[in-house]
Amino acid sequence: MAPLTKDRNTPRLECEIRSAGVVVATLIFAGAIGMRDASGDLVNGQTATGLVGGGRTEERADNSAGSVGDIS
């Protein structure tokens, strides 16, 4: 499946909303699947070992110019 290139309205179940820091040089679109790395920081959804599903992102997070955790 191709990565998102813009925000999308992804349906979700009612559940607890959590927050996590976003890794460096990362843009996560609203409605995308977020994954947590070994440090608990959020990255774009992908097939990779060592990542855990974090769920649907509520809003766009653009940390392309920041440090880890500057945006959550």
Side-chain angles (χ1 to χ4, degrees):
M1 178 178 242
L4 292 180
T5 57
K6 62 181 182 177
D7 296 336
R8 67 177 262 170
N9 185 14
T10 305
R12 70 177 176 95
L13 296 173
E14 287 299 318
C15 61
E16 180 180 338
I17 296 177
R18 298 180 184 178
S19 178
V22 177
V23 298
V24 176
T26 301
L27 169 62
I28 302 175
F29 292 101
I33 298 298
M35 307 285 286
R36 291 183 184 263
D37 64 11
S39 301
D41 298 312
L42 207 59
V43 298
N44 280 306
Q46 56 192 287
T47 302
T49 58
L51 298 179
V52 177
R56 173 189 177 269
T57 56
E58 283 292 306
E59 54 191 49
R60 180 188 298 216
D62 187 357
N63 198 25
S64 48
S67 298
V68 174
D70 281 354
I71 295 177
S72 59

